[in-house]
Amino acid sequence: MNSRESLYDIAEFYRKKAVLNASYQGMRYRIRRKTWTDGEQECNCLEAAIWPEPFCYEKTPEEKREAKEFPYEEESLDQIYTWLCERYEQERQRWEQARDNPMEGIV
């Protein structure tokens, strides 16, 4: 799996509402700051999503995507990295199939 450092940090990346899009061996993933208003208070979390190659997040059918929310804090990036590694290992065959046969995702 890509290194934990490849997820960047909250202060310099996600604070600016930048979105990290990356992939590893057939598993694509996205990490972004998710913001909403609860009454008059602004709320934030980090959302991590995974899906199989070959398409980007927006072009992948919703049923093929999985997402999980984490508290908006630096320590959550460690949790996200652990979650990504676990999800890769749990479905390694799925990701390798997507890597080795990306055109199967088109049909």
Side-chain angles (χ1 to χ4, degrees):
M1 181 52 132
N2 299 334
S3 69
R4 158 56 185 93
E5 289 76 27
S6 68
L7 303 185
Y8 302 118
D9 60 58
I10 285 181
E12 295 302 320
F13 191 77
Y14 302 101
R15 177 183 60 81
K16 300 174 186 175
K17 296 190 179 181
V19 177
L20 173 67
N21 289 291
S23 66
Y24 180 77
Q25 300 292 320
M27 182 179 84
R28 292 190 182 239
Y29 58 94
R30 175 181 90 163
I31 302 169
R32 70 181 182 117
R33 175 182 173 187
K34 187 175 175 182
T35 305
W36 68 96
T37 304
D38 185 11
E40 295 182 19
Q41 182 179 357
E42 182 177 276
C43 302
N44 296 290
C45 72
L46 289 172
E47 179 187 66
I50 58 174
W51 66 96
E53 291 183 349
F55 300 118
C56 66
Y57 180 85
E58 293 79 11
K59 297 294 182 183
T60 299
E62 191 172 331
E63 63 271 7
K64 291 187 177 188
R65 300 183 307 212
E66 177 183 345
K68 185 172 180 179
E69 293 180 353
F70 297 84
Y72 186 72
E73 53 193 42
E74 192 69 31
E75 296 78 29
S76 291
L77 292 170
D78 294 329
Q79 296 170 9
I80 290 170
Y81 180 74
T82 299
W83 181 73
L84 291 171
C85 291
E86 288 172 352
R87 294 301 296 128
Y88 179 80
E89 288 301 324
Q90 290 169 353
E91 294 196 63
R92 178 185 289 260
Q93 186 175 4
R94 175 185 183 200
W95 311 124
E96 289 176 353
Q97 179 72 19
R99 177 196 65 203
D100 297 341
N101 302 293
M103 300 312 282
E104 284 184 9
I106 293 176
V107 290

